[in-house]
Amino acid sequence: MSAIGEFRQFLARHPVVTKWIIASDFVINEAQAASDAYAYTFFPYDAEIQDLKAKIVKLVPKDFKKTKTVKPQLHEFFQSGETFTICLLTPKKYKVAGDIHAVRRSLDETLKMMRHWHDAGGQQRLITAF
């Protein structure tokens, strides 16, 4: 199944949740790593945050990055549907947006486009914030 389909199934398991906690972690330019990695885990905010934190602390080793094997209880937690994790791997030193000059040009073009919206006058707070 596609990742989008799996994410939709995850959301369907939590139909009343309106708030989410997203935790992230990154491995960038690590000499021993084959790739750079970006991980995002979605937690439904439907329980007391301290209860969720206690559960995770109990299941996850202190330095999870150095873990070579996952205990069955942690594997079950990951597969339970209580959370959803997306992990993106990119080549080392991969720059999605390009160099700083390309980023600035892109931001300038986005602002120019926003200022030409048909309702730009009513969107000034958003445009200013951007």
Side-chain angles (χ1 to χ4, degrees):
M1 177 182 285
S2 75
I4 293 171
E6 289 178 20
F7 189 60
R8 286 181 177 151
Q9 280 186 344
F10 169 71
L11 293 175
R13 281 188 227 120
H14 305 282
V16 298
V17 175
T18 58
K19 292 183 180 181
W20 297 85
I21 297 170
I22 303 173
S24 61
D25 197 9
F26 313 97
V27 176
I28 301 172
N29 297 326
E30 181 65 38
Q32 293 83 16
S35 302
D36 287 342
Y38 308 80
Y40 304 89
T41 300
F42 296 77
F43 298 87
Y45 193 38
D46 59 355
E48 285 297 319
I49 191 70
Q50 294 305 323
D51 295 341
L52 180 60
K53 183 178 176 183
K55 184 181 221 177
I56 292 168
V57 166
K58 185 175 146 188
L59 291 171
V60 177
K62 282 203 183 279
D63 191 349
F64 190 63
K65 290 178 186 175
K66 294 182 180 178
T67 300
K68 301 243 186 268
T69 59
V70 175
K71 292 180 184 176
Q73 299 90 337
L74 182 56
H75 184 264
E76 289 170 16
F77 176 73
F78 284 144
Q79 298 298 315
S80 71
E82 289 186 60
T83 67
F84 188 86
T85 299
I86 297 170
C87 184
L88 307 170
L89 299 176
T90 63
K92 289 186 177 194
K93 298 187 181 187
Y94 179 71
K95 295 181 182 177
V96 175
D99 64 20
I100 189 65
H101 302 293
V103 171
R104 287 181 177 148
R105 283 192 304 274
S106 177
L107 290 171
D108 288 343
E109 286 300 314
T110 302
L111 280 168
K112 183 178 174 182
M113 179 191 67
M114 293 170 84
R115 289 182 183 124
H116 286 93
W117 285 345
H118 73 297
D119 64 340
Q123 298 292 334
Q124 282 305 301
R125 281 183 50 196
L126 176 66
I127 294 169
T128 301
F130 183 81

